Amino acid sequence: MKKYIFVMMAAAALFTACDPQIDNKDWSGQTVSADELTVNIVNQYDLNADGTYTKSADGNYVEFATSPSKVVEVYYINSKGAEMILSKGKPNGIFPLTPARGSEPVQTVYFRTREYDGSSVTVSTQVTVKVATDLSTEMKLFCSNSGSKKWFWCPTAVEGGAVWGNGGYQAGAQDGSENINGAWWGCGVEDGTATGSFSSQLQHSAAGKITGEEYSTSYMQFNEDGTVDKFDKDGNKLGTGSFSIDDYNNGEPIDANLNVAYLNTSEGAILWPYAINKDGFQPTRFEVAHLSVDRMVLIYAAPGTGSWSECTWWSFSSNDDLAGYLTTSPKWGWAPTAVEGGAVWGNAGYQAGPQDGSGAINGAWWGCGVEGGTATGSFSSQLQHSAAGKITGEEYESSFMTFGEDGIIAKFDKDGNKLGEGSWSIEKGATPGGFNATLKTTEGAILWPYAINKQGFQPTAFEIGYISKDKMILIYAPEGTGGWSECTWWSFGAKK
């Protein structure tokens, strides 16, 4: 299939963030009326991994041209009724259009001029584009299956907490740990622990000042409609841009650079979007060096950069996709703790404080472990708490649960035989125990689903004391339970 290659400087100029500041572009030119202005859709394309385009009848990259030539602002109205800027300040070019799931493939696109007297002329046309029925794997990682996801700065081991810096290009794979492979130097957030912060690096910034995106509470929100919103440390929106992902290969390296995908954005869309030592240059195409449900590392190197020559890196993390933690891991089983030498279920004092997934259970009084495990007691000695009154196969190290994106939870015995299934969902919000989310299920859906000392009672709402892509601590206490009164805890971990 023939590929069409465009001048990348021109393409980059089209991917311009929706900047809430005053637009100082030169909109000069002959005044036209709506009857005189024509906009032609020249072609539509798919974006290739190397930055080139392939013609496609319903491609999500749309090439337009105005006649007579007239600088326009291009936008569409999304499913929430908001005006989304696709391009501005050009009389022709390419813009991305990726509607959210459930949208109509036929989209109306508007082209708005600005006239000498401050008035404007708007014309519209329709294009047919691809609309996803389900999010791709990479979009679920960026946006979550819910359709939006927050990403914050993630401190690294570089300079005691740096989140942005330089390094040697093609230094090797990034594994999502606190290390940045090949890093030379970096700076951290304004309220962080790193030896230097963004305020000492304003020479790299186009703004030349701190704008609010340089703090631990600053974040960007990636949305399934291809937009990315940027927020300052107080939650005030700084602007909206666009993004797309290409050449994702299920987390495996796609080329000699060992990146797993490419992230394309409008200019300035991400937090502190500056390439190092480039006088405020804001890249629009990044290598995704690592991408998982909770971690993202981006790299930018100018075209032609050689091995171990300078590149820029960014470090981000997300704790926003709780359901994604459960669905990304194929199996969830018991995770032994330090309680009783390996207990996985037991009792504790309620509202004892935070859980951290380290292996300790804050406030634990006692617990039992899996059959054949290392704990001082096992489930077979605690059948008085079970409604079944016998070992059923869910009490072993190899027993597991699966959490489906369709909201179905299935439970399997030690030999992989299905024991049953139910429904599950996560509800965010403060719990009586002081946590921030609740796991809701049908009765008996999880492994050994019994509250302690409750004659076989099976709760359907569990406080999530801790959750990550690897560990989950659940807690149940009857309504009205006071501080340090008895509650039940469960310890689960992701399994291969």
Side-chain angles (χ1 to χ4, degrees):
M1 185 177 291
K2 186 176 181 181
K3 294 181 178 180
Y4 295 75
I5 303 177
F6 297 89
V7 179
M8 294 311 294
M9 287 182 65
L14 285 168
F15 290 86
T16 306
C18 177
D19 192 339
Q21 299 177 10
I22 296 173
D23 187 353
N24 293 317
K25 293 182 180 296
D26 180 9
W27 293 81
S28 61
Q30 184 176 354
T31 300
V32 297
S33 67
D35 292 335
E36 295 170 325
L37 180 64
T38 301
V39 178
N40 299 310
I41 300 302
V42 180
N43 278 307
Q44 290 177 235
Y45 307 93
D46 293 327
L47 181 65
N48 303 305
D50 59 1
T52 62
Y53 296 89
T54 300
K55 190 183 295 186
S56 173
D58 58 354
N60 294 103
Y61 290 81
V62 182
E63 183 183 10
F64 76 98
T66 58
S67 179
S69 183
K70 187 75 175 177
V71 169
V72 291
E73 187 173 53
V74 185
Y75 66 95
Y76 83 111
I77 307 298
N78 70 8
S79 58
K80 299 177 182 178
E83 185 177 296
M84 307 305 298
I85 303 299
L86 302 172
S87 172
K88 62 180 180 179
K90 292 289 180 179
N92 54 66
I94 298 176
F95 58 84
L97 178 55
T98 310
R101 285 173 293 178
S103 300
E104 292 295 328
V106 178
Q107 291 284 320
T108 301
V109 182
Y110 300 89
F111 303 83
R112 180 167 54 209
T113 71
R114 184 175 298 175
E115 304 303 327
Y116 292 128
D117 60 2
S119 64
S120 64
V121 169
T122 302
V123 299
S124 65
T125 190
Q126 291 186 322
V127 294
T128 302
V129 294
K130 297 184 182 76
V131 177
T133 56
D134 185 27
L135 294 183
S136 63
T137 299
E138 60 270 31
M139 282 293 282
K140 287 174 184 174
L141 292 173
F142 269 91
C143 306
S144 86
N145 197 44
S146 68
S148 63
K149 185 171 176 177
K150 297 174 182 177
W151 289 88
F152 297 81
W153 291 113
C154 182
T156 67
V158 180
E159 302 285 347
V163 299
W164 172 89
N166 62 358
Y169 188 48
Q170 298 176 336
Q174 306 296 334
D175 61 6
S177 70
E178 65 177 7
N179 298 310
I180 298 293
N181 198 353
W184 295 338
W185 169 90
C187 74
V189 293
E190 291 299 289
D191 52 342
T193 61
T195 54
S197 66
F198 286 114
S199 59
S200 64
Q201 301 299 318
L202 297 179
Q203 68 273 23
H204 305 291
S205 162
K209 63 181 180 180
I210 295 298
T211 62
E213 60 192 295
E214 307 87 356
Y215 294 82
S216 61
T217 53
S218 309
Y219 66 94
M220 13 175 222
Q221 180 172 292
F222 284 81
N223 307 302
E224 67 170 280
D225 63 359
T227 60
V228 52
D229 301 312
K230 189 161 60 172
F231 297 83
D232 71 10
K233 64 185 180 70
D234 299 314
N236 302 308
K237 186 183 285 191
L238 295 170
T240 296
S242 63
F243 81 98
S244 64
I245 313 151
D246 58 69
D247 214 23
Y248 180 72
N249 189 32
N250 200 30
E252 296 298 321
I254 57 178
D255 54 29
N257 303 344
L258 298 180
N259 55 311
V260 299
Y262 289 95
L263 171 66
N264 310 289
T265 75
S266 54
E267 189 176 88
I270 70 169
L271 293 175
W272 190 264
Y274 308 112
I276 203 164
N277 296 322
K278 298 293 183 183
D279 303 315
F281 172 66
Q282 303 170 59
T284 57
R285 187 167 172 82
F286 304 84
E287 295 177 23
V288 183
H290 177 83
L291 180 62
S292 60
V293 67
D294 61 346
R295 191 80 166 86
M296 174 167 55
V297 177
L298 302 179
I299 286 177
Y300 170 75
T305 299
S307 179
W308 281 99
S309 294
E310 186 177 59
C311 67
T312 311
W313 57 267
W314 291 256
S315 173
F316 301 111
S317 65
S318 176
N319 60 2
D320 194 37
D321 188 9
L322 306 189
Y325 291 150
L326 294 179
T327 57
T328 298
S329 298
K331 300 177 182 179
W332 284 82
W334 296 110
T337 68
V339 179
E340 300 286 347
V344 298
W345 172 89
N347 62 357
Y350 190 47
Q351 299 176 341
Q355 306 294 334
D356 62 7
S358 64
I361 298 294
N362 197 352
W365 295 340
W366 168 91
C368 73
V370 296
E371 297 297 292
T374 61
T376 53
S378 66
F379 285 114
S380 58
S381 63
Q382 301 298 319
L383 296 179
Q384 70 273 22
H385 304 291
S386 162
K390 62 181 180 180
I391 295 298
T392 62
E394 59 191 299
E395 307 87 355
Y396 293 83
E397 181 183 8
S398 56
S399 308
F400 65 94
M401 309 171 284
T402 60
F403 292 82
E405 291 179 346
D406 57 359
I408 300 297
I409 177 174
K411 186 164 62 173
F412 298 83
D413 71 11
K414 64 185 180 67
D415 298 315
N417 301 307
K418 183 183 284 189
L419 295 170
E421 62 181 32
S423 63
W424 72 279
S425 63
I426 287 181
E427 182 179 288
K428 294 183 181 179
T431 70
F435 305 114
N436 296 313
T438 301
L439 173 67
K440 294 189 173 182
T441 73
T442 47
E443 188 176 90
I446 70 169
L447 295 175
W448 190 265
Y450 308 111
I452 202 164
N453 297 321
K454 298 295 180 185
Q455 293 77 48
F457 173 67
Q458 303 170 61
T460 57
F462 306 83
E463 297 182 38
I464 301 178
Y466 176 84
I467 189 169
S468 70
K469 64 181 179 181
D470 303 310
K471 295 283 182 66
M472 177 168 62
I473 305 297
L474 299 181
I475 290 175
Y476 170 75
E479 186 176 351
T481 299
W484 283 98
S485 295
E486 185 177 59
C487 68
T488 312
W489 59 267
W490 292 254
S491 175
F492 298 114
K495 307 290 185 180
K496 294 183 178 179

